[in-house]
Each structure stands twice: as structure tokens, then as C-alpha cells.
Amino acid sequence: METTKEGWFATEFVHLLMIKIAILVPESCVMQAIADPRYLFSAVNQFLQAQGRDAIFDVKLVGAAPQVALQFGSFIVQTEKLLSDSATYDLVIIPALFGNMREAIKLNERMVPWIQAQHEKGSSVASLCVGAFLLGATGLLNGKKCSTHWGFYQEFRELYPEVTIVDGSIITEEGSVYSSGGANSYWNLLLYLVEKYVGRDLAILASKYFAIDIDRDSQAAFALFQGQKDHGDAAVLEAQQIIEKNVGEKLSVDELADKVAIGRRSFERRFKAATNNSVLEYMQRVRIESAKRQFESSRKNINEVMYEVGYTDTKAFRTTFKKITGLTPVEYRNKYAQA
């Protein structure tokens, strides 16, 4: 890989400094989301030393107490630094929370002003998966974009209406604030951070070592579209049920509006407000979700599935399917079909 003079200088300069990383240890969080970043940055230090270079990452586990019990007391994490210590970090990592998000935020409310203070001092902040809920509580995402687990989009939007979720995205960068998509996709954010701090060559080496696809940029293929139903608008809910019961039918927006006895303009406005999708977007997502399930569980060919979910144009079906899942119908079937 060709390296510019500026890129070489930046990489060499950063090696003169230790990058201080705080991995927070919140109560009610996912233990792996603490252990994995620690493992990764420690491994990169070893890679550097094997090349005759200095280790660069100084990683500390930071918590509100010396010991934090996780997963109903099954694991005890020993922290190395406390929130009350005066240390300042270059990067703060917020691991994925566990269980009820609102309760987890309340349990860890002491971390919110600490994260804010670190950011004010110049620290970058990165949330892993649903760690975005604790990051959201700091206000650092207000007016900005964010990634999180696809299964928590609706709850996140309800809790943080001033934040824009990037649908399907694995990594979102907003200045010095980073967030990642669902579950193991946080590895892609960690690799991204390694690349920013020590260069592409070490990030590629780490991706090979941990068997992670370094350039995966979408979690769309893993998402299950279940429809946003907890909105309290009975007419919109009725329309959703009609769409889902008639996947293969050619329903127009006018027909749906008539069925629920609402004027078209008012219907479209209420539907968007309730589901965060336009009526047509919702129809597309329901149809593609049905197609996904059929590719996973049946031996039907592409055209059979296409017709059953209401498409007659192969190009339109393929384009919509890839837009929503990130894969073509053939790629999806080959990847997820039962053997």
C-alpha cells in the first residue's frame, strides 16, 4: 500500500505518544464488549512490538467502583481506574448495555457527567452497539447521526428524538464521536479506530488475526423487519396489519387510506410519524422481509419468490432487495438458505 509523506508523518508522530484508552465498565453491560476491545488493542501492541516498534495503546478499565458485577453476578470485573480519579483519556469506549435500556442508563447515570467532562477535555468517545443509549444520555449526539443495533431503533428514537439513526450502518463518525451497529459489528468500529491511530496495515493485520471482515459497512442483511407497532395510532396499526396480511397484493396508498377512513395526506403524515417509514417504504420492507424468510426456508427460485411478494419486475425487485439488505437476492439465498 502506498503511503503519502503526510500519512507517514502522521503515523510516525502518533507513535511518539501513548494513546490512553478508557474502557468503561458500566453496571448491566455485556462483558464481551469490555473484553473484546481490551483484547484487540493489546494484540495491536504486540503486533507493533513484533515489528520492533513501541506499544502505543495504554488501556484501562474504568468504573464507578473497584469491582462491578455483571450478568446477575456471574462475572466480576476488576476495574483499574475509578471515575473519581483525575486521569484524562484520548479515547473513551462505552460497551454495549444489557437488559432494559432505560434501567441500565439509570444505573449508570454517574458515568454521564464523566463522559461529558472527558469529551470537553478533548477525548474521543465511541459506543459499541447499544452502548449508544448511554452515549445518547450525554447529549453528545444531539443534532448528530448515530449507529446502534437494528433491533433497538424504535426505542432509541423514542428516547433520543434529537438524534438521527443511520439505518443499517455499522459505523458512524460525527467529529470525535463514534458509534457502531449491532452485536459483533462493533469489531468493525474497533478496527476503524485502530486504522485511525496506527494505520491501515495494522488494521488489516488485526482483521486477519481476529477473522473480521474489515470493510463490512452494513448490518442490513442481519436485520429482521418487525414493523413499528408501539405508536398508539389505531388507524395506522390497522393499515400495517392490512399490508402484512396482503403481502403479494397490489395495494395503493389511496386504497389503504380509504380502508382506514382517513384522507390520503393525513394518512401519509400519520403513518410516517408513527412508523418512521413512508407507506411505500413500509410496503417494500414488509415484502422484502417476506422474501428473505422464503429464501431462508424454501427451495423456491428467485422469480417464484418475487411474484409471491408482489413484484413482477426483476430489476425492481433486485434493486429494492439490495437496497434494504445490502445483498442481492442470489447472494442472500446462497448465504442464508437451509442446506
Side-chain angles (χ1 to χ4, degrees), residues 58-79:
D58 178 15
V59 184
K60 293 289 188 286
L61 302 184
V62 180
Q67 292 185 332
V68 181
L70 300 179
Q71 292 177 252
F72 310 107
S74 297
F75 302 98
I76 303 293
V77 177
Q78 185 80 37
T79 60

Side-chain angles (χ1 to χ4, degrees), residues 29-38 70-71 95 128 184 186-187:
C29 76
V30 177
M31 187 187 67
Q32 292 87 339
I34 296 169
D36 288 345
R38 173 108 187 213
L70 300 179
Q71 292 177 252
L128 308 185
N184 286 334
Y186 66 64
W187 278 95

Side-chain angles (χ1 to χ4, degrees), residues 219-223 292-293 295-297 325 327 330-339:
Q219 57 180 331
F222 306 105
K292 286 166 58 181
R293 300 287 81 78
F295 287 141
E296 292 166 4
S297 61
T325 69
L327 301 172
V330 172
E331 290 170 339
Y332 190 91
R333 184 185 62 183
N334 290 343
K335 190 168 188 176
Y336 293 109
Q338 293 179 356

Side-chain angles (χ1 to χ4, degrees), residues 145-157:
K145 297 176 181 178
C146 174
S147 295
T148 191
H149 194 293
W150 58 264
F152 290 80
Y153 284 174
Q154 188 67 14
E155 184 177 0
F156 190 90
R157 289 185 177 113

